[in-house]
């Protein structure tokens, strides 16, 4: 036989053997008998949630595919079970299977080749040393996240850290673990992914972790109570890609050793108590994509080395004490799509070129930026969020800004912008939230808003807008929830078309020159609010606040306002309203603040005002109200007499005016039982005094009117006097 023929024969045999060999998932692979029994034994201790989402015990049987009848084909038919060629369980993966119970009955010693255990998103409440007798383990992947584990981290491990020497992925996030991170975890030297975020861990981070875990790629401990500083030893974890310490209680500065993490892609140390400057060594993190340093106490300027991080996509430095100007070198960050420098002390002009053309978010609020609106922002075709509020910007608002096809949120408030807002309507604008308040903008109500069909929040307050409020708001902005036009120069009536705004929650038209209210409220709708069903009358049944103060409103308060049962505050003060307080005012059961002061209201205060059990602020002063102030419930807590001041016809608590009908409600409410006791004591004194007076005049009358009695009494007195002498 030739050499080539021999080679072909060997190749044919090899292919045949390969085809005949059983695969890990092959139905011909039978699970080891003891391992099937161990799984069934553990299953018998578990329960599934009830159909109503309550505790276990009344719901369907968990993992129904696990049954003794099918144990011979468990490797291919049992949910979440994967075997190797010899029938040993190599992987157990049951994420979100609705399991309730513990791992106490899961004997890992019965699974010698188990490498992957994934039970995330269940209701496992304890591990209880599931493999206490195991001296070593092949487990490389353990995910018990989003369960109900409590206790220390070591209580959540199925064996000691020394036994889990092969473990490289550990996820215990979203549980109730507490206590410090133990140093003994360093025994798991192959650790690559470590995630204990969203627990209740405290104490300092052991530096040994970073010295021993040389293969570490992800370290996630966010949303805990971890204190202390970022250990300089972190520089030893040179393969680290994700580092998240956010939402903890870290103090101190960022160590210079952070620059050793050349593979780092995500750095999030936000919402801590860190201080000091950003170290220049961050310039070495050339692969960094996300930088989250917001909500700390960092100071100084942005180091120029940051602008070498050309892969940077998110730079969030807000809520610190950074200062200085933003360098024009920021234009080198060509991949930046989210920039947040808000709530710092930056000054100077905003760079005209931010480099990137793919911004989704630009937030520069609450600084001291000067100059005019950067027209280059109009070139950000993907921009969704723009916040330049609370700066010192001036000039006009460019027309091009309103043409951005993806802009959803725009806040230019609290600057010095002036001039007219463009009046050209742009159809189908994506804007949902527009804030232009506290500037010096002029002109009529902006017609450009007519094309904002998705608008939910509009604040034009504190400007110099004039003219009338257009009637098209109701039809053109049907989803608006907050409409704030206060402190302008709008005049005329409040258009009835506002009643079409069925989602309106806050209407603030205070401090304008508005006249009468034209609109009424009709219809009934039902909504679910805070897990309770409410049926409200009125198209604006979701209204939670109305402020029409300081206008020229006249006539009576529309009784239909009392149908808006979701109102939390109502301010109609400083108008010319007349008539009485609506008799159904008590229907506003969750009202917290009511102010109808400085009007011309008359009549009595409706007795059902005592139904306002949430009322914490009330002002009915400076009207012509009369009668007794209703008492009871929440009104008893409002003891300031000034809230009823300058209503010369009112009496009762808390005024020191007793009502003409003899009601002592004032005394009864302000002093309670103490005054009742005082009245009883006064009555007793008056009774005694009356008795004394009556007795005195009885004897005196006897002496004056009956001479024989008078002589006898005087003789008796003389006799007593002689005996005493």
């Amino acid at each position: 036989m030739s050499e080539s023929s021999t080679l072909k024969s060997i190749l044919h045999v090899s292919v045949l053997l390969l085809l005949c060999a059983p695969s890990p998932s092959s139905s011909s692979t039978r699970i080891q008998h003891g391992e099937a029994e161990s799984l069934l034994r553990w299953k018998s201790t578990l329960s599934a949630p009830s159909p109503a989402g309550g505790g276990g015990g009344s719901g369907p049987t968990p993992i129904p595919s696990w049954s003794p009848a099918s144990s011979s084909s468990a490797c291919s038919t049992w949910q979440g079970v994967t075997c190797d060629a010899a029938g040993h369980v190599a992987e157990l993966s049951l994420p979100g299977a609705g399991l309730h119970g513990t791992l106490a009955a899961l004997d890992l010693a019965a699974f010698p080749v188990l490498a992957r255990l994934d039970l995330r998103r269940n209701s496992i409440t304890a591990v209880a040393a599931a493999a206490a007798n195991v001296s070593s383990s092949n487990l490389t992947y353990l995910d018990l996240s989003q369960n109900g584990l409590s206790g220390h981290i070591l209580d959540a491990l199925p064996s000691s850290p020394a036994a889990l020497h092969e473990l490289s992925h550990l996820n215990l996030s979203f549980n109730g673990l507490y206590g410090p991170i133990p140093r003994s975890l360093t025994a798991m030297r192959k650790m690559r992914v470590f995630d204990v975020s969203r627990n209740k861990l405290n104490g300092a981070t052991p530096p040994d972790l970073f010295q021993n875990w040389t293969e570490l790629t992800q370290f996630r401990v966010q949303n805990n109570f971890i204190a202390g500083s970022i250990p300089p030893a972190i520089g030893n974890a040179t393969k680290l890609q994700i580092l998240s310490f956010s939402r903890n209680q870290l103090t101190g500065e960022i160590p210079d050793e952070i620059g050793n993490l050349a593979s780092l892609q995500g750095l999030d140390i936000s919402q801590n108590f860190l201080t000091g400057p950003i170290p220049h060594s961050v310039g070495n993190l050339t692969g960094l994509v996300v930088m989250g340093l917001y909500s700390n106490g960092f100071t100084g300027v942005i180091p120029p080395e940051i602008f070498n991080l050309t892969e940077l996509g998110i730079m969030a430095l807000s809520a610190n004490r950074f200062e200085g100007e933003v360098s024009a070198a920021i234009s080198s960050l060509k991949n930046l799509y989210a920039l947040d420098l808000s709530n710092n002390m930056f000054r100077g002009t905003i760079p005209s070129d931010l480099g990137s053309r793919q911004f989704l978010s630009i937030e520069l609020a609450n600084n001291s930026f000067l100059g005019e609106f950067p027209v280059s922002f109009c070139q950000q075709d993907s921009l969704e969020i723009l916040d330049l509020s609370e700066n010192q910007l001036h000039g006009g608002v460019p027309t091009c800004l309103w043409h951005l096809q993806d802009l959803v949120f725009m806040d230019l408030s609290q600057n010095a912008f002036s001039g007219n807002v463009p009046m050209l309507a742009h159809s189908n604008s994506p804007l949902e939230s527009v804030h232009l308040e506290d500037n010096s903008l002029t002109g009529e109500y902006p017609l450009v808003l007519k094309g904002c069909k998705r608008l939910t929040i509009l604040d034009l307050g504190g400007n110099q807008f004039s003219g009338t409020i257009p009637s098209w708001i109701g039809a053109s902005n049907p989803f608006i929830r907050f409409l704030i036009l206060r402190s302008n120069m709008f005049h005329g009536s409040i258009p009835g078309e506002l009643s079409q705004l069925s989602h309106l929650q806050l209407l603030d038209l205070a401090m304008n020159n508005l006249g009468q209210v034209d609109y009424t409220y009709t219809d009934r709708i039902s909504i679910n609010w805070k897990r309770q069903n409410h049926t409200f009358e009125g198209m604006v049944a979701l209204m939670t606040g109305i402020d029409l103060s300081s206008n020229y409103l006249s006539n009576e308060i529309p009784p239909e306002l009392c149908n808006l049962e979701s109102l939390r505050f109502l301010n109609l003060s400083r108008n010319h309203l007349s008539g009485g307080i609506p008799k159904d005012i008590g229907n506003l059961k969750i009202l917290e603040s009511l102010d109808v002061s400085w009007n011309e209201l008359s009549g009595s205060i409706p007795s059902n005002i005592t139904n306002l059990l949430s009322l914490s602020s009330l002002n009915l002063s400076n009207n012509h109200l009369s009668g007794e102030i209703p008492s009871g419930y929440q009104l008893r807590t409002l003891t300031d007499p000034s809230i009823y001041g300058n209503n010369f016809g009112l009496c009762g608590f808390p005024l020191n005016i007793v009502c003409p009908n003899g009601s002592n409600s004032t005394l009864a409410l302000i002093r309670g039982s103490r005054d009742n006791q005082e009245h009883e004591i006064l009555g007793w004194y008056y009774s005694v005094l009356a008795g004394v007076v009556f007795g005195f005049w009885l004897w005196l009358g006897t002496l004056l009117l009956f001479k024989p009695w008078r002589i006898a009494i005087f003789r008796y007195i003389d006799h007593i006097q002689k005996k005493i002498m």
Side-chain angles (χ1 to χ4, degrees):
M1 183 179 293
S2 65
E3 184 177 347
S4 60
S5 299
T6 304
L7 184 60
K8 287 182 180 179
S9 299
I10 295 174
L11 182 60
H12 289 160
V13 171
S14 300
V15 171
L16 183 61
L17 291 174
L18 183 61
L19 292 174
C20 294
S23 65
S25 60
S26 172
S27 60
S28 64
T29 302
R30 293 176 60 90
I31 191 172
Q32 294 291 326
H33 182 66
E35 298 185 27
E37 286 185 340
S38 294
L39 291 177
L40 290 172
R41 190 179 307 113
W42 175 52
K43 175 192 172 180
S44 67
T45 67
L46 301 175
S47 62
S50 64
S58 58
T61 303
I63 35 182
S65 63
W66 291 17
S67 67
S70 61
S71 61
S72 61
S73 59
C75 289
S76 58
T77 62
W78 281 15
Q79 177 188 350
V81 176
T82 302
C83 302
D84 67 0
H88 292 291
V89 176
E91 179 178 339
L92 186 58
S93 181
L94 293 167
L99 307 180
H100 287 239
T102 73
L103 298 186
L106 183 63
D107 184 9
L108 293 186
F111 308 97
V113 302
L114 183 65
R116 185 181 181 93
L117 180 60
D118 185 355
L119 301 177
R120 67 185 188 275
R121 291 187 287 111
N122 284 288
S123 296
I124 304 299
T125 57
V127 175
N133 298 323
V134 179
S135 60
S136 64
S137 172
N138 290 317
L139 204 62
T140 62
Y141 185 103
L142 176 61
D143 192 338
L144 299 177
S145 62
Q146 301 183 59
N147 277 282
L149 299 176
S150 59
H152 295 270
I153 291 180
L154 296 180
D155 298 329
L157 297 178
S159 186
S160 67
L164 298 172
H165 54 80
E166 297 295 322
L167 196 64
S168 62
H169 183 112
L170 177 61
N171 191 342
L172 301 175
S173 62
F174 286 89
N175 281 289
L177 302 175
Y178 54 83
I181 300 175
R183 291 182 58 193
S184 59
L185 296 182
T186 58
M188 301 183 293
R189 292 180 175 270
K190 294 186 179 181
M191 187 63 63
R192 294 175 57 86
V193 175
F194 180 74
D195 190 346
V196 291
S197 59
R198 296 185 181 274
N199 280 283
K200 303 175 183 178
L201 303 175
N202 56 25
T205 306
D208 298 0
L209 296 181
F210 304 111
Q211 292 172 346
N212 288 24
W213 291 352
T214 56
E215 299 297 318
L216 189 66
T217 60
Q218 296 186 30
F219 187 79
R220 301 176 185 267
V221 295
Q222 68 267 22
N223 292 81
N224 280 286
F225 301 97
I226 294 174
S229 60
I230 300 175
I234 200 170
N236 294 316
T238 56
K239 295 182 180 180
L240 202 59
Q241 297 175 7
I242 304 295
L243 175 62
S244 180
F245 271 109
S246 65
R247 292 194 177 187
N248 278 287
Q249 299 177 0
L250 296 177
T251 55
E253 300 185 359
I254 301 175
D256 287 335
E257 289 79 1
I258 199 82
N260 296 344
L261 308 180
S263 300
L264 201 63
Q265 298 175 16
L267 172 64
D268 189 355
I269 53 177
S270 60
Q271 300 186 59
N272 280 282
F273 301 97
L274 298 167
T275 55
I278 300 176
H280 294 278
S281 62
V282 298
N284 299 332
L285 310 179
T286 54
L288 198 64
V289 176
V290 176
M291 175 186 286
L293 309 184
Y294 60 92
S295 296
N296 278 286
F298 292 123
T299 55
V301 300
I302 299 178
E305 290 82 1
I306 279 187
F307 304 122
N308 296 331
L309 309 181
T310 55
E311 298 297 320
L312 202 60
I314 298 176
M315 184 163 66
L317 308 182
S318 64
N320 282 287
R321 295 197 292 273
F322 291 119
E323 57 187 8
E325 298 188 8
V326 178
S327 172
I330 196 174
S331 62
S332 62
L333 303 179
K334 302 295 184 181
N335 292 309
L336 203 62
Y337 61 87
L339 174 65
D340 189 354
L341 305 180
S342 57
N343 297 293
N344 279 287
M345 297 183 290
F346 291 114
R347 61 182 187 274
T349 59
I350 300 172
S352 58
D353 182 13
L354 294 182
S356 173
R357 290 291 179 267
Q358 56 186 18
F359 273 102
L360 299 179
S361 173
I362 299 176
E363 299 176 69
L364 307 177
N366 194 16
N367 283 285
S368 298
F369 288 117
L370 304 168
E372 297 187 351
F373 184 94
V375 180
S376 61
F377 286 3
C378 292
Q379 302 172 9
Q380 300 292 339
D381 296 333
S382 302
L383 192 63
E384 297 178 2
I385 297 174
L386 176 62
D387 189 352
L388 305 180
S389 61
E390 297 183 70
N391 280 288
Q392 301 173 27
L393 303 174
H394 64 272
V397 178
T399 303
C400 60
L401 181 62
W402 300 90
H403 295 164
L404 293 177
Q405 295 297 314
D406 294 325
L407 191 63
V408 174
F409 178 94
M410 177 173 66
D411 192 344
L412 307 181
S413 63
Q414 299 187 55
N415 279 283
F417 290 117
S418 59
N420 294 351
V421 175
M423 299 303 293
L424 180 63
H426 176 63
S427 61
N428 201 27
S429 169
L431 276 167
E432 296 178 8
S433 184
V434 175
H435 298 262
L436 300 177
E437 68 268 21
D438 296 325
N439 281 286
S440 299
L441 299 171
T442 56
E444 297 184 353
Y445 190 96
L447 185 61
V448 70
L449 298 172
K450 191 173 184 178
C452 302
K453 304 296 184 182
R454 306 175 191 175
L455 197 63
T456 59
I457 300 175
L458 175 63
D459 193 344
L460 303 181
N463 281 285
Q464 300 172 26
F465 290 113
S466 58
T468 60
I469 298 175
S471 59
W472 49 256
I473 295 179
S476 298
N477 309 131
F479 300 109
I480 199 163
R481 293 182 179 273
F482 297 89
L483 180 59
I484 305 173
L485 307 179
R486 65 181 296 120
S487 301
N488 279 286
M489 295 183 289
F490 291 115
H491 61 81
S493 61
I494 301 175
E497 287 77 7
L498 291 186
S499 63
Q500 300 174 20
L501 300 175
S502 58
H503 299 277
L504 195 62
Q505 296 181 27
L506 174 62
L507 176 63
D508 189 348
L509 308 180
M511 290 182 279
N512 279 284
N513 300 315
L514 298 171
Q516 67 183 69
V517 181
D518 288 342
Y519 55 99
T520 58
Y521 304 91
T522 56
D523 293 347
R524 299 174 65 90
I525 63 173
S526 296
I527 64 168
N528 184 276
W529 183 70
K530 289 190 176 180
R531 298 184 180 178
Q532 296 183 3
N533 288 317
H534 300 272
T535 299
F536 300 139
E537 294 187 11
M539 289 295 293
V540 286
L542 298 179
M543 186 86 72
T544 59
I546 297 179
D547 191 342
L548 304 178
S549 61
S550 300
N551 280 288
Y552 295 95
L553 302 178
S554 58
N555 299 324
E556 297 183 350
I557 299 175
E560 292 84 2
L561 284 176
C562 299
N563 295 332
L564 307 179
E565 297 181 5
S566 58
L567 271 183
R568 289 190 176 275
F569 77 86
L570 175 62
N571 190 347
L572 303 177
S573 64
R574 298 184 182 275
N575 280 285
H576 301 293
L577 297 170
S578 58
I581 298 174
K583 60 182 179 61
D584 294 326
I585 192 70
N587 291 349
L588 306 178
K589 297 186 183 299
I590 63 172
L591 194 68
E592 298 175 4
S593 177
L594 174 63
D595 190 348
V596 293
S597 62
W598 293 96
N599 278 287
E600 300 169 15
L601 301 175
S602 58
S604 61
I605 301 173
S607 59
N608 67 3
I609 198 172
T610 59
N611 295 341
L612 306 181
L613 302 182
S614 299
L615 197 64
S616 59
S617 176
L618 175 67
N619 194 347
L620 307 182
S621 65
N622 296 283
N623 280 286
H624 307 300
L625 300 172
S626 59
E628 183 175 358
I629 298 172
S631 62
Y633 300 112
Q634 189 67 11
L635 288 187
R636 294 189 181 189
T637 66
L638 305 177
T639 59
D640 184 2
S642 66
I643 64 178
Y644 301 102
N646 292 330
N647 287 279
F648 299 109
L650 289 178
C651 60
F653 173 80
L655 301 176
N656 292 321
I657 302 175
V658 179
C659 295
N661 60 5
S663 169
N664 289 323
S665 61
T666 301
L667 296 174
L669 288 173
I670 198 170
R671 291 182 298 208
S673 61
R674 185 188 66 183
D675 284 4
N676 290 335
Q677 293 175 357
E678 291 180 358
H679 290 160
E680 292 177 2
I681 294 173
L682 285 174
W684 182 78
Y685 280 130
Y686 288 142
S687 298
V688 172
L689 181 61
V692 171
V693 172
F694 177 78
F696 174 79
W697 282 107
L698 177 64
W699 284 99
L700 183 61
T702 300
L703 295 176
L704 293 176
L705 298 177
F706 298 97
K707 183 175 180 181
W709 287 19
R710 184 169 65 249
I711 294 174
I713 290 173
F714 286 159
R715 285 178 177 176
Y716 179 77
I717 294 174
D718 290 338
H719 176 71
I720 295 298
Q721 184 178 4
K722 288 179 180 179
K723 289 188 69 174
I724 293 174
M725 293 298 295

